[in-house]
Amino acid sequence: MRNAFAATITELAAKDDRVVVLSGDIGNRLFDAFKAQCPARFYNCGVAEGNMTGMAAGMAMCGLRPFTYTITPFATTRVMEQIRIDICYHNLPVTIVGTGSGLSYASLGPTHHSLEDVAFLRALPNLTVVCPADAAEVRAALEEIIKLDGPVYLRLGKKGEPVVHKQPPALVIGRGITVREGSDVCLLGLGNMVAPSLEAAALLEGRGVSAKVVSVHTVKPLDQDLLRDVLQRFVVVGVVEEHSRIGGLGSAVAEWAAAQESRTKARLLSLATPDLFLPESGSQKYLRKRFGLTPDAIADVIVRAYEAEKAKV
Amino acid sequence: LTVSEDEMKAIAREIRGQVVQMSHVKKTPHLGSSLSCVDIVVAVYWGVLRIDPQNPWDPGRDRFILSKGHAATTLYAALARRGYYDPAVLETYNQDGGHLAEHPCLRCVPGVEASTGSLGHGLPLALGMALAQRIRCAGGETPGLAKTVSSQAGTFPPSATQYRCFVLMSDGECEEGAVWEAALFAAAQKIDDVAVIIDYNKWQATGRSDEVMALGPLVDKWRAFGWSARELDGHDIGALLAALEKLPDGSGKPLAIVAHTVKGKGVSFMEDDNNWHYRTPTADELQAARKELGLA
């Protein structure tokens, strides 16, 4: 995803001289092409994310379209105050780009995990929250983000994520993308959990359960038409995310359901990370397994819930 | 606009009277902090900024950011007096459903450049504004690529004049880490069209600013961070004008003015008494203040 970001932002900058990249002392070679093409529109802002974020707001006040870029916790929760006031209160077209989101940098430990970022950021008025599923969604999302007039948080993984879209997807901010049709259950995947959700759907098919899978790349604004549809049509809807159960996409969907005038049909399941800082070392693969976010584990939870719901009918 | 120093002093007295009145009528705090920076704000708005109150959002205008947003009444009164809007609007200050809150909000009235109130935000904003100008001036950087979108979108218009950015901070505000992040970056990038003015009134909300944190020697700190730094009497309008008239000052460095001030300046019984950080004046105190300011 990060290579797709670097390539796409370089293309966008060639067409749009408002595009600026501010890096928090990261991406050493990643932006070489950007820097060669637009030397005046790249700044290494040092290990000073608060200033970087505030400066991005100042640039946007003068008509630019800045992108701040660093490892997710440092681009987001470290500088909540600057995002909240400088960017969101002023409602400015700054895009905050977090790289290595969720457990992408699992082995670096909890300082580099971002399992609460969506919870913090989606609470901010004016902010659009976009979590692409793969490199193709990153490209498509950036083409749309540049057209928006307000602030955006773009939550990236790292590099080498599995391909979800073989063709460039038609991505509209605020509308989920169905990546697999199904008739029994529905999986709403967030970002890098869309690919494992697809694998889970294949396993479910082998166990006689037909699963629809949607990439909910925009957490805010939520795709209300999608929720209205799947929460009425399916008996089980599972939200799958590499993020804490507290405040992530699952929370957003539950909040939405709680605000409806009539009850929804579906049983809502949250497949997310628990409320803890992990005290042990481990890879992304290891941690996903520990937290029940592998295709096998997802399929098991969904089958159990589906059978329980069917037994009630 | 050419205004003499004597006229500026008279304007400063008027604004002080207005600020005391607003605090009295609406029972709002931060009066001492608002009074300490009046002379700075007057010098900047009447003698330094290249602005046109009739065209408040001209892309080429100089920018002034009240980073110490708790001195909002001083800014509101100054903008009204300078002709940005009808002074009658000041009566709606802190009113339910009104536009003028106790801390300023971007464009709540013409001339308010940023939403402030949380300290340590103004300088990074100003640096971003300065870099936006630098980026615009570097236009045509990409060989073979046409400058297309901005002219079509019309959101990044060219400007005939070069603007400067002035940031007014409090001394307590210099305790925020983001200030020093910005100071380091500005010096590294030689951003010489930004000036910081510190309203060094020696008090923060609950104590002496040099005791709560080791703030002093403040001018040396800015100098050590690579800034062109100097100190002066923040109530001496002539000194302020002389220090700020030339920006960039030719040093290639950003400019920091450490302005020594007195909290509550202009009203004898408020001067250097930190109770007036939160206290609001009674009707009798308002009357006494107006008398001292030569307004009653």
Side-chain angles (χ1 to χ4, degrees):
Chain A
M1 285 195 222
R2 68 184 184 215
N3 292 338
F5 171 74
T8 310
I9 200 70
T10 305
E11 288 162 25
L12 288 173
K15 293 183 285 188
D16 186 337
D17 62 6
R18 301 169 303 167
V19 172
V20 179
V21 171
L22 303 178
S23 157
D25 200 35
I26 194 175
N28 191 24
R29 307 305 306 273
L30 188 66
F31 296 110
D32 279 358
F34 187 101
K35 286 186 265 187
Q37 179 188 277
C38 310
R41 286 188 276 150
F42 180 90
Y43 281 94
N44 181 352
C45 298
V47 191
E49 299 84 1
N51 180 55
M52 173 172 77
T53 305
M55 288 200 307
M59 289 179 171
M61 283 173 156
C62 295
L64 295 177
R65 292 298 175 102
F67 288 71
T68 61
Y69 180 92
T70 185
I71 300 175
T72 302
F74 316 136
T76 60
T77 45
R78 183 184 182 95
V79 291
M80 273 305 291
E81 167 85 351
Q82 280 79 13
I83 295 174
R84 176 172 174 264
I85 293 175
D86 300 342
I87 296 177
C88 292
Y89 183 21
H90 288 132
N91 199 13
L92 295 167
V94 174
T95 301
I96 301 135
V97 185
T99 189
S101 302
L103 295 166
S104 297
Y105 291 150
S107 60
L108 294 177
T111 55
H112 286 57
H113 299 170
S114 57
L115 300 172
E116 312 91 29
D117 53 314
V118 173
F120 277 94
L121 271 80
R122 76 181 179 85
L124 295 177
N126 295 331
L127 189 66
T128 297
V129 178
V130 180
C131 311
D134 69 352
E137 280 196 13
V138 172
R139 279 184 220 106
L142 278 167
E143 300 274 358
E144 295 305 306
I145 285 168
I146 200 72
K147 297 175 194 164
L148 299 177
D149 276 326
V152 178
Y153 168 41
L154 181 62
R155 186 184 201 244
L156 302 181
K158 47 179 179 180
K159 60 178 180 180
E161 284 86 2
V163 171
V164 172
H165 301 279
K166 292 192 183 71
Q167 301 295 324
L171 187 146
V172 178
I173 301 292
R175 309 286 290 185
I177 301 174
T178 299
V179 292
R180 180 189 171 111
E181 283 297 353
S183 53
D184 297 325
V185 299
C186 179
L187 294 176
L188 302 177
L190 181 72
N192 61 2
M193 288 313 293
V194 175
S197 299
L198 277 170
E199 286 184 57
L203 296 173
L204 286 167
E205 189 172 13
R207 296 166 74 170
V209 180
S210 168
K212 175 185 172 88
V213 181
V214 183
S215 168
V216 186
H217 50 74
T218 310
V219 179
K220 190 181 176 187
L222 271 177
D223 185 347
Q224 301 199 52
D225 291 339
L226 169 79
L227 296 184
R228 212 168 280 127
D229 173 44
V230 301
L231 290 172
Q232 280 310 330
R233 193 143 61 90
F234 297 95
V235 289
V236 171
V237 172
V239 181
V240 192
E241 55 192 323
E242 208 172 73
H243 186 278
S244 171
R245 179 161 296 135
I246 298 173
L249 177 61
S251 294
V253 173
E255 288 159 14
W256 181 86
Q260 301 313 299
E261 286 183 6
S262 56
R263 65 174 294 175
T264 52
K265 169 178 158 187
R267 174 167 167 204
L268 195 57
L269 295 174
S270 167
L271 295 105
T273 64
D275 181 24
L276 64 83
F277 293 111
L278 204 74
E280 66 208 55
S281 63
S283 66
Q284 185 175 27
K285 194 176 165 191
Y286 168 82
L287 291 183
R288 279 186 180 178
K289 190 163 184 194
R290 197 178 184 293
F291 295 147
L293 289 174
T294 58
D296 279 334
I298 296 166
D300 284 348
V301 169
I302 296 294
V303 166
R304 271 203 305 278
Y306 180 63
E307 284 172 354
E309 291 305 310
K310 261 203 333 191
K312 289 184 196 165
V313 181
Chain B
L1 182 87
T2 312
V3 178
S4 71
E5 264 184 65
D6 281 342
E7 287 172 281
M8 288 189 210
K9 285 178 190 165
I11 292 167
R13 280 195 298 275
E14 271 180 57
I15 289 175
R16 284 195 162 92
Q18 183 73 58
V19 161
V20 176
Q21 173 153 330
M22 288 163 84
S23 174
H24 163 70
V25 173
K26 296 297 162 63
K27 300 279 174 268
T28 57
H30 302 133
L31 181 51
S33 319
S34 299
L35 289 172
S36 66
C37 64
V38 169
D39 301 301
I40 297 167
V41 169
V42 169
V44 167
Y45 270 96
W46 274 266
V48 177
L49 295 178
R50 299 169 191 149
I51 46 171
D52 174 9
Q54 301 310 307
N55 190 7
W57 308 118
D58 177 351
R61 71 191 182 281
D62 281 347
R63 273 87 168 154
F64 173 81
I65 298 174
L66 182 75
S67 196
K68 49 170 289 184
H70 53 292
T73 51
T74 299
L75 178 66
Y76 295 154
L79 289 174
R81 180 66 178 71
R82 188 69 175 78
Y84 279 87
Y85 57 92
D86 185 344
V89 175
L90 293 174
E91 288 164 27
T92 68
Y93 167 63
N94 203 28
Q95 217 168 54
D96 288 350
H99 296 295
L100 300 177
E102 284 184 48
H103 292 101
C105 177
L106 173 67
R107 300 193 180 208
C108 57
V109 284
V112 175
E113 296 279 0
S115 302
T116 53
S118 175
L119 299 174
H121 288 258
L123 182 53
L125 290 175
L127 298 182
M129 293 171 175
L131 287 183
Q133 172 160 263
R134 182 179 288 188
I135 288 166
R136 190 185 58 204
C137 292
E141 66 197 18
T142 314
L145 283 170
K147 290 185 69 186
T148 50
V149 171
S150 66
S151 49
Q152 288 162 14
T155 48
F156 191 32
S159 167
T161 53
Q162 293 268 308
Y163 59 77
R164 292 101 37 94
C165 300
F166 299 82
V167 182
L168 178 58
M169 303 199 305
S170 72
D171 46 356
E173 181 170 9
C174 291
E175 296 166 9
E176 288 285 359
V179 168
W180 301 102
E181 289 187 12
L184 288 168
F185 183 87
Q189 293 292 340
K190 302 182 171 52
I191 299 176
D192 61 0
D193 45 7
V194 167
V196 157
I197 307 151
I198 295 148
D199 176 13
Y200 196 2
N201 64 30
K202 319 297 184 298
W203 285 108
Q204 54 195 88
T206 63
R208 283 283 181 198
S209 52
D210 280 328
E211 292 171 3
V212 176
M213 299 284 256
L215 205 58
L218 196 50
V219 73
D220 291 348
K221 285 193 172 66
W222 286 90
R223 213 165 272 151
F225 274 68
W227 286 55
S228 179
R230 51 198 293 192
E231 50 194 325
L232 47 70
D233 174 354
H235 302 304
D236 181 342
I237 288 179
L240 286 160
L241 294 174
L244 291 166
E245 71 177 355
K246 197 159 177 287
L247 184 77
D249 70 0
S251 67
K253 298 174 179 178
L255 177 65
I257 302 292
V258 175
H260 293 282
T261 58
V262 174
K263 199 159 179 172
K265 177 72 178 182
V267 181
S268 61
F269 55 90
M270 296 181 187
E271 287 189 359
D272 204 36
D273 177 357
N274 209 32
N275 285 314
W276 291 95
H277 191 86
Y278 292 120
R279 252 203 77 179
T280 60
T282 63
D284 287 347
E285 285 165 339
L286 169 65
Q287 201 48 37
R290 287 180 55 80
K291 202 169 171 191
E292 281 194 23
L293 291 163
L295 302 170

